[in-house]
C-alpha cells in the first residue's frame, strides 16, 4: 500500500468518525428530552444510520487498514495495529449487541430508561475509541513512509 492510498484511507476514516460523532450527539440530545413517539421515530432512524456507519467503518479498518499495519516493517506500528484491532473487537461486539437489543419500538418504549442508560454508555465508548484513533493512530499513519 503506498503513501497516497494510506492518506486517502485515513481521510475516509476520519470523515466517517465525524459522521458517527454527529449521529451520537444527535442521539444524546434526544435522550436528554422526555420520551415521545416523535423522538422514538427519530431515534430508530439514528440507530439504523449508526449501525450502517459503524459497520462500514469497522469493515474498512479490518479489511484495509489493520492487515497493512500488522505486516508493516516498523515494529511499533505492528504493535499499535494489533492493540487497536484487539480493542476494537470488544467495542464492535458490544455495539452489535446494543443494536440487536434495541431494534424493537416496543422494547424501546417499555425499557426506555435502560435504553437511555445503555445508549449513553455505548456512545461514551465509541467517542473514546474515535478520540484514541484520532490522537494516536492517524497522526502516526499520516507520518509513516508506506513505500
Amino acid at each position: 500500500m503506498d503513501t497516497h492510498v494510506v492518506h486517502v484511507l485515513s481521510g475516509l476514516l476520519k470523515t466517517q468518525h465525524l459522521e458517527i460523532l454527529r449521529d451520537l450527539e444527535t442521539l444524546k440530545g434526544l435522550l436528554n428530552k422526555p420520551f415521545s413517539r416523535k423522538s422514538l421515530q427519530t431515534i430508530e432512524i439514528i440507530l439504523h444510520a449508526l449501525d450502517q456507519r459503524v459497520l462500514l467503518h469497522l469493515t474498512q479498518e479490518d479489511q484495509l487498514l489493520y492487515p497493512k499495519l500488522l505486516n508493516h516493517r516498523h515494529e511499533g506500528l505492528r504493535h499499535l495495529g494489533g492493540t487497536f484491532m484487539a480493542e476494537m473487537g470488544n467495542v464492535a461486539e458490544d455495539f452489535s449487541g446494543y443494536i440487536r437489543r434495541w431494534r424493537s419500538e416496543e422494547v424501546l418504549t417499555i425499557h426506555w430508561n435502560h435504553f437511555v442508560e445503555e445508549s449513553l454508555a455505548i456512545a461514551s465508548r465509541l467517542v473514546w475509541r474515535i478520540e484514541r484513533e484520532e490522537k494516536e493512530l492517524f497522526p502516526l499513519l499520516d507520518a509513516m513512509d508506506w513505500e
Side-chain angles (χ1 to χ4, degrees), residues 88-103:
M88 197 62 227
N90 295 333
V91 174
E93 186 177 306
D94 291 347
F95 179 76
S96 293
Y98 162 79
I99 291 294
R100 276 192 311 275
R101 279 188 294 284
W102 301 112
R103 285 192 192 271

Side-chain angles (χ1 to χ4, degrees), residues 38-55:
K38 183 179 180 186
S39 290
L40 188 59
Q41 291 170 345
T42 305
I43 286 168
E44 288 176 316
I45 292 168
I46 292 169
L47 289 178
H48 179 74
L50 271 171
D51 188 25
Q52 298 302 307
R53 289 186 209 285
V54 171
L55 178 62

Side-chain angles (χ1 to χ4, degrees), residues 5-59:
V5 173
V6 171
H7 289 292
V8 170
L9 178 59
S10 176
L12 175 66
L13 295 172
K14 289 175 188 178
T15 298
Q16 291 169 353
H17 281 170
L18 294 174
E19 293 169 344
I20 292 167
L21 290 170
R22 183 195 65 222
D23 289 345
L24 291 172
E25 283 303 310
T26 302
L27 178 62
K28 288 192 286 187
L30 291 167
L31 298 176
N32 288 325
K33 296 179 181 178
F35 174 82
S36 74
R37 288 279 173 206
K38 183 179 180 186
S39 290
L40 188 59
Q41 291 170 345
T42 305
I43 286 168
E44 288 176 316
I45 292 168
I46 292 169
L47 289 178
H48 179 74
L50 271 171
D51 188 25
Q52 298 302 307
R53 289 186 209 285
V54 171
L55 178 62
L56 174 65
H57 185 78
L58 297 178
T59 299

Side-chain angles (χ1 to χ4, degrees), residues 35 41 47 51 60 63 69 83 94 106 117 121 129-130:
F35 174 82
Q41 291 170 345
L47 289 178
D51 188 25
Q60 290 174 335
Q63 293 180 2
L69 294 178
T83 300
D94 291 347
E106 182 180 355
E117 181 181 306
R129 174 56 187 221
I130 288 170

Side-chain angles (χ1 to χ4, degrees), residues 47-138:
L47 289 178
H48 179 74
L50 271 171
D51 188 25
Q52 298 302 307
R53 289 186 209 285
V54 171
L55 178 62
L56 174 65
H57 185 78
L58 297 178
T59 299
Q60 290 174 335
E61 284 182 338
D62 287 347
Q63 293 180 2
L64 301 174
L65 179 61
Y66 292 131
K68 297 302 178 194
L69 294 178
L70 295 174
N71 291 312
H72 196 273
R73 66 184 177 274
H74 186 270
E75 182 180 342
L77 201 50
R78 286 194 309 269
H79 176 72
L80 187 63
T83 300
F84 270 79
M85 195 165 103
E87 288 175 359
M88 197 62 227
N90 295 333
V91 174
E93 186 177 306
D94 291 347
F95 179 76
S96 293
Y98 162 79
I99 291 294
R100 276 192 311 275
R101 279 188 294 284
W102 301 112
R103 285 192 192 271
S104 161
E105 183 176 316
E106 182 180 355
V107 172
L108 283 166
T109 302
I110 293 170
H111 301 286
W112 177 254
N113 290 335
H114 183 64
F115 168 70
V116 170
E117 181 181 306
E118 189 174 354
S119 295
L120 294 174
I122 201 76
S124 177
R125 283 192 72 195
L126 289 171
V127 168
W128 169 81
R129 174 56 187 221
I130 288 170
E131 287 175 350
R132 276 202 64 215
E133 287 181 2
E134 293 285 338
K135 290 177 184 171
E136 295 176 37
L137 183 60
F138 291 137

